[in-house]
């Protein structure tokens, strides 16, 4: 009997937007995943202060996936607290499943700067989707390791969506429209809670 195959999509989700949800959907469909778990970071070590609290980001994710089959949210990194390192998350996974870590091409470019990146690549499969302005090409060290493992980088066929949380935060701070960029429930939540009204750092 084959083991369950679970997709994992990490990020700040500050806020979660339609490109995140579409990436999870496409990964599930094209990689034959049993489901995709979205994992919000407690404190991403490679970026500054977040615009929404951990609780708010979890609540927005819950709203974003409420009608999405096969998607769920894990508070694992938030409950662990402190700087978020993917290796800690991967080491804490249920050993009864196989995992695919889902990346945008922009994250792939700096994958080899992640803490114990080589150990991550040994523990989970990697799948990447195109992002505007980023190449779908692994860094040389990662490519070498994947070849040695006999585990090619999987590509998620998805049309790049020019939507980013940074741009959304900037638009909200300037009072500009964000139609079509956020799941409706998330847009309403942000408005109701007055989030992102100040320019982010």
């Amino acid at each position: 009997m084959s083991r369950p195959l679970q997709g994992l999509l990490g990020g700040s989700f500050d806020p979660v937007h339609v490109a995140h949800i579409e990436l999870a959907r496409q990964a599930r469909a094209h990689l034959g995943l049993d489901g995709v778990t979205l994992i919000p970071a407690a404190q991403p070590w490679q970026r500054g202060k977040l615009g929404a609290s951990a609780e708010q980001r979890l609540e927005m994710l819950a709203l974003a996936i409420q009608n999405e089959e096969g998607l769920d949210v894990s508070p694992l990194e938030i409950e662990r607290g402190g700087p978020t390192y993917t290796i800690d998350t991967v080491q804490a996974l249920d050993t009864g499943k196989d995992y695919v870590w889902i990346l945008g091409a922009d994250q792939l470019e700096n994958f080899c700067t992640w803490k114990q990146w080589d150990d991550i690549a040994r523990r989970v499969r990697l799948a990447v989707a195109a992002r505007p302005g980023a190449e779908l090409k692994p860094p040389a060290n990662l490519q070498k390791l994947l070849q040695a493992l006999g585990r090619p980088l999987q590509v998620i066929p998805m049309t790049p969506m020019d939507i980013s949380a940074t741009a959304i935060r900037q638009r909200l701070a300037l009072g500009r429209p964000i139609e079509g960029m956020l799941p409706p429930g998330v847009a309403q939540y942000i408005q109701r809670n007055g989030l992102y009204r100040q320019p982010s750092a």
Side-chain angles (χ1 to χ4, degrees), residues 84-138:
T84 298
Y85 298 106
T86 300
I87 185 60
D88 297 333
T89 303
V90 166
Q91 286 172 341
L93 294 171
D94 173 0
T95 54
K97 296 181 181 180
D98 291 325
Y99 296 93
V100 178
W101 195 274
I102 300 160
L103 300 158
D106 50 338
Q107 293 173 303
L108 182 69
E109 285 178 346
N110 70 5
F111 186 81
C112 293
T113 68
W114 293 15
K115 182 182 176 184
Q116 291 173 245
W117 65 269
D118 50 341
D119 198 15
I120 297 169
R122 287 187 181 94
R123 288 171 179 266
V124 294
R125 296 173 183 276
L126 299 176
V128 65
R131 287 281 289 154
E135 269 193 290
L136 273 180
K137 187 179 171 192

